[in-house]
Amino acid sequence: MLLTSVSFVAVGGFLSNQITNALYDQRFDQFSAEASDALDDEKAVFRNSSATDTDTINRLVLDSVTQLVGTDSDAPRQSILVPLPTDNGSVVSTTTSQAGATARMLPPDLQAAVADGEEIYWAPMVIPVTESGATNAPGLAFGTQVTLPPEQNPVALYVYYDLSTMQSTLDDIHRVLWLAGVVLLIVIGAIAWYVTRSVVRPVSYAASVSEKLAAGELQERMEVTGEDEVARLGASFNHMAGSLQDQITQLAQLSQMQQRFVSDVSHELRTPLTTVRMAAEVLHDAREEFNPINKRSAEILFDQVERFQALLADLLEISRFDAGAAVLEAESVDIVQLAQHAMDGARPLAERLGSDLVIVSGESMCIVDADARRIDRILRNLIVNALEHGEGRPVEVHIASNPEAVAVAVRDHGIGMTPLQASRAFDRFWRADPARARTTGGSGLGLSIAMEDARLHSAWLEAWGEPAAGACFRLTLPRHQGTDLACSPLALPPSSASVPQRAAQGRGTRAHAPEPRPQDDDEGHGSGH
């Protein structure tokens, strides 16, 4: 509507200007010819007059002024005779054919031109009051010099045309243009509103239905009426929604079958696995009585059964997350104490690998509402993962807090990982290098379970890494359940110099050199333990 209004104003202004110019140019030529002929005739009359006395001259002036009056209804013509400023001995005074007209209403430029030359000059003017009563009406004045007998004294003789009727006509044309523009604008607005509404309403309806589909109401469909393009759009939308519903239903059924299969298999394996483990423990305890080959076989069997049992436990935990059966048992816990407990559990591995475990924190206590078992499992996974990939270098556990959140970051200085590997670190069974041997017997689901535990707390679990510079995993917990995290108290990776170290708590001892490990060229952390 704004663009249409601007267009109407531009077109109306152009049309008005063209009409005005055409009308003015046409009438100007007519007025110029008429005024020139009339003034030339009066010049001849004055030049050929034989009047000698004042009365006769005054009568001649009055007759000439009266003779120049025109009765054209569109543009009445009036005349006025004015003594020139240089004619001090003039026997006549200013004579006009219209009552109330004076020489002051004539344009000064026109009077100066007439006083200096003998040609016919013209100029636009403003008529204070016309015969019809119009005020400040537009006019057009023509003037020239004539000579009065008997001494041929020059005076100025003018004729002017009253253009108020023409101006009234132009005003009427302008009013018609404005009225037509307003009416046309209203009509176009109504048409635009109708067409837009007929198009936008189905689109808005489609948007509403799509939002319901996105919310899970897969049975929603659009009502299709007519056979136009909008109806075709609705039919296509409904067909798309039906196809999506079928595919989503199939995927949901397949996912449920897979989850049920994993859960059932895991439960069914527990009993035979327990029996196998008991037998493996018996063989492992009696391995000293076996020959070297059988002894090594018993040790391998015991280790692999333990690894199998850990994998089975992780599969059962993942199946609970997938089934939505995981429940958060939140209570007030001290994150510093949980971190210390997790470090104590990982100390044997740290001693075997020759890594120091250090708490870097200025906090003595950080209380949050959390599930202690799940947070302990997250921290154990992160610490063990850092130790395995830390290449014997120190592993730092940073703890910091603010009024809204508490953060724990586990930083190692080992092989590190690329940003792409960091983005996939929490994928199930994903490994940066599939060929890498697991020195601690992890299941490959530890970081995935840690991520699910973090989501259950509405927490953030993030990874950072840089090849040959180590890696860092940061857990950020809200102090109170139900609050949204805005920022983390720790940077990723944190700076060791930013907070004092509490090395006395949780420092692993290096009783002996680390055990030799096979050399490999892999980069990146595995999926956890």
Side-chain angles (χ1 to χ4, degrees):
M1 293 298 292
L2 178 61
L3 292 176
T4 305
S5 302
V6 172
S7 301
F8 281 167
V9 170
V11 172
F14 174 76
L15 291 177
S16 174
N17 185 64
Q18 292 296 107
I19 293 173
T20 301
N21 290 338
L23 185 59
Y24 181 81
D25 292 342
Q26 178 185 4
R27 298 310 299 271
F28 176 80
D29 293 339
Q30 176 185 348
F31 296 152
S32 179
E34 291 179 357
S36 297
D37 293 342
L39 291 175
D40 286 340
D41 292 343
E42 292 306 317
K43 272 187 175 183
V45 169
F46 277 100
R47 187 170 52 249
N48 298 327
S49 174
S50 58
T52 56
D53 58 286
T54 302
D55 292 338
T56 306
I57 294 174
N58 286 332
R59 190 179 304 110
L60 174 63
V61 169
L62 183 58
D63 291 342
S64 297
V65 170
T66 305
Q67 185 68 27
L68 289 173
V69 175
T71 58
D72 188 348
S73 59
D74 289 340
R77 186 176 68 192
Q78 302 292 339
S79 65
I80 180 171
L81 185 142
V82 180
L84 293 175
T86 57
D87 185 17
N88 297 326
S90 177
V91 295
V92 296
S93 59
T94 301
T95 305
T96 64
S97 61
Q98 178 185 355
T102 63
R104 290 194 300 271
M105 70 182 189
L106 296 171
D109 294 342
L110 178 61
Q111 295 188 50
V114 171
D116 294 338
E118 297 182 357
E119 301 295 329
I120 298 177
Y121 304 96
W122 68 274
M125 63 177 296
V126 176
I127 304 174
V129 180
T130 66
E131 291 288 342
S132 62
T135 58
N136 296 326
L140 191 60
F142 296 85
T144 187
Q145 286 188 16
V146 296
T147 55
L148 295 178
E151 299 178 358
Q152 302 299 315
N153 294 326
V155 293
L157 180 61
Y158 302 92
V159 293
Y160 59 91
Y161 292 86
D162 177 7
L163 305 182
S164 58
T165 304
M166 293 176 56
Q167 184 62 48
S168 177
T169 303
L170 288 175
D171 292 340
D172 292 339
I173 293 175
H174 291 161
R175 280 192 291 269
V176 171
L177 287 175
W178 279 109
L179 180 61
V182 171
V183 172
L184 191 57
L185 186 63
I186 294 174
V187 172
I188 291 177
I191 295 174
W193 176 83
Y194 174 76
V195 173
T196 304
R197 185 173 177 81
S198 64
V199 174
V200 171
R201 181 188 295 175
V203 174
S204 301
Y205 181 52
S208 176
V209 174
S210 65
E211 290 175 356
K212 293 181 180 179
L213 289 174
E217 301 178 21
L218 302 179
Q219 73 283 355
E220 285 292 325
R221 297 293 184 272
M222 289 183 62
E223 296 182 3
V224 180
T225 57
E227 298 180 356
D228 56 1
E229 287 77 5
V230 176
R232 291 178 57 191
L233 173 64
S236 301
F237 184 90
N238 290 340
H239 179 69
M240 177 192 68
S243 300
L244 288 176
Q245 182 180 13
D246 294 341
Q247 295 178 14
I248 291 174
T249 302
Q250 293 176 4
L251 291 174
Q253 292 174 351
L254 179 61
S255 176
Q256 291 176 358
M257 292 175 59
Q258 291 176 339
Q259 293 174 11
R260 192 180 302 114
F261 174 78
V262 172
S263 179
D264 292 344
V265 169
S266 301
H267 280 88
E268 292 298 328
L269 286 176
R270 294 185 68 178
T271 299
L273 182 60
T274 301
T275 303
V276 172
R277 178 184 177 122
M278 292 174 61
E281 288 177 350
V282 171
L283 294 175
H284 187 266
D285 292 340
R287 67 185 183 280
E288 298 298 334
E289 302 175 3
F290 301 156
N291 58 52
I293 296 178
N294 292 337
K295 177 181 178 182
R296 181 57 180 164
S297 298
E299 292 174 349
I300 293 175
L301 176 62
F302 181 77
D303 292 340
Q304 294 304 314
V305 168
E306 279 195 336
R307 180 176 176 183
F308 189 18
Q309 191 169 24
L311 174 61
L312 185 61
D314 287 345
L315 285 173
L316 286 172
E317 188 67 23
I318 284 290
S319 66
R320 280 193 287 270
F321 281 117
D322 291 340
V327 178
L328 184 68
E329 299 178 359
E331 58 182 355
S332 296
V333 297
D334 182 7
I335 292 296
V336 177
Q337 183 178 354
L338 288 178
Q340 182 65 58
H341 182 264
M343 292 171 63
D344 290 342
R347 182 175 290 116
L349 177 62
E351 293 176 350
R352 182 164 63 87
L353 296 177
S355 295
D356 290 338
L357 279 175
V358 180
I359 287 185
V360 182
S361 175
E363 307 284 347
S364 59
M365 179 181 294
C366 292
I367 303 298
V368 297
D369 294 338
D371 190 326
R373 178 179 65 87
R374 297 183 184 277
I375 298 302
D376 181 73
R377 181 165 60 189
I378 294 174
L379 296 178
R380 282 178 183 271
N381 270 300
L382 299 182
I383 292 172
V384 170
N385 194 62
L387 288 172
E388 183 182 10
H389 297 86
E391 297 187 323
R393 298 186 179 95
V395 173
E396 303 162 358
V397 179
H398 297 255
I399 303 175
S401 66
N402 61 26
E404 291 79 26
V406 173
V408 181
V410 180
R411 174 78 160 94
D412 68 70
H413 303 275
I415 59 177
M417 54 184 172
T418 65
L420 177 60
Q421 292 169 345
S423 66
R424 299 194 58 190
F426 302 102
D427 293 350
R428 298 178 184 181
F429 298 107
W430 182 86
R431 308 191 66 180
D433 183 3
R436 180 179 179 88
R438 294 187 184 274
T439 59
T440 57
S443 66
L445 292 172
L447 290 181
S448 300
I449 295 175
M451 176 60 77
E452 297 295 340
D453 284 333
R455 288 173 180 167
L456 205 59
H457 286 83
S458 299
W460 295 346
L461 183 56
E462 303 158 282
W464 170 90
E466 186 175 322
C472 180
F473 289 81
R474 181 182 67 183
L475 173 67
T476 306
L477 291 160
R479 281 191 177 270
H480 305 285
Q481 290 298 310
T483 59
D484 295 330
L485 291 173
C487 62
S488 179
L490 279 175
L492 185 66
S495 173
S496 301
S498 59
V499 233
Q501 296 188 5
R502 297 175 55 217
Q505 300 184 22
R507 181 177 176 86
T509 59
R510 301 184 64 175
H512 51 78
E515 296 180 3
R517 292 186 297 166
Q519 296 298 320
D520 50 35
D521 296 328
D522 64 298
E523 291 184 0
H525 286 56
S527 294
H529 307 274

